[in-house]
Amino acid sequence: MADKTLFQRIESGEIPSDIIYEDEHCFAFRDINPQAPTHVLVVPRKPIATLNDLVDEDAALVGQLFLAAKQIAADEGLDDGYRTVFNCGEKAGQTVFHIHLHLLGGRRLGWPPG
Ligand code: AMP
């Protein structure tokens, strides 16, 4: 069996984290190095390495990640805006190869991102 990803080790509790949301499809926890007052990672329970590894059967799962992000944003009181980001690949800044949706809010966010 393949080694567990960092985020699977967080999911199992092997690595401590601040998990704030869970459902059958995904879980979410606060980023250890927050880039905004709210910075949460929404992670599918299925360990897909990058967006390039998505297959047709993952379409609904990706939708579930955004629905979770919307719920978390409401719970966090991000009423005046927030951003969701997937980094795909090393050049885009992906460092953990288990896809995750960044949810950022609580401050004005610049555009374009760096
Ligand atoms: P990315 O660079 O898009 O792959 O995002 C990976 C994110 O995981 C980064 O924002 C890291 O700060 C975050 N991260 C890495 N290790 C942990 C951890 N143990 N707990 C919470 N967040 C983490």
Side-chain angles (χ1 to χ4, degrees), residues 6 8 14 18 22 44 62 73 93 102 110:
L6 174 68
Q8 285 178 300
E14 187 183 332
D18 187 2
E22 290 196 75
V62 173
H102 292 260

Side-chain angles (χ1 to χ4, degrees), residues 87-114:
N87 293 324
C88 180
E90 183 272 331
K91 196 169 179 181
Q94 185 175 6
T95 59
V96 178
F97 287 83
H98 178 163
I99 63 168
H100 45 284
L101 185 60
H102 292 260
L103 168 63
L104 298 140
R107 67 169 172 83
R108 182 161 292 280
L109 298 166
W111 192 263

Side-chain angles (χ1 to χ4, degrees), residues 2-113:
D3 288 344
K4 283 205 266 182
T5 69
L6 174 68
F7 291 161
Q8 285 178 300
R9 294 167 69 200
I10 285 176
E11 179 185 21
S12 68
E14 187 183 332
I15 294 176
S17 73
D18 187 2
I19 292 180
I20 60 166
Y21 176 93
E22 290 196 75
D23 66 28
E24 64 182 299
H25 309 287
C26 64
F27 57 101
F29 50 93
R30 296 191 191 281
D31 196 292
I32 203 169
N33 182 24
Q35 302 301 309
T38 294
H39 186 174
V40 172
L41 303 177
V42 185
V43 181
R45 296 192 187 279
K46 180 179 177 183
I48 301 162
T50 81
L51 289 188
N52 287 334
D53 297 297
L54 289 172
V55 293
D56 287 354
E57 70 181 29
D58 297 324
L61 176 59
V62 173
Q64 295 293 340
L65 301 181
F66 282 100
L67 289 171
K70 172 187 148 182
Q71 179 65 53
I72 296 163
D75 293 346
E76 293 284 313
L78 302 179
D79 302 325
D80 54 355
Y82 59 89
R83 183 171 294 164
T84 53
V85 177
F86 279 108
N87 293 324
C88 180
E90 183 272 331
K91 196 169 179 181
Q94 185 175 6
T95 59
V96 178
F97 287 83
H98 178 163
I99 63 168
H100 45 284
L101 185 60
H102 292 260
L103 168 63
L104 298 140
R107 67 169 172 83
R108 182 161 292 280
L109 298 166
W111 192 263

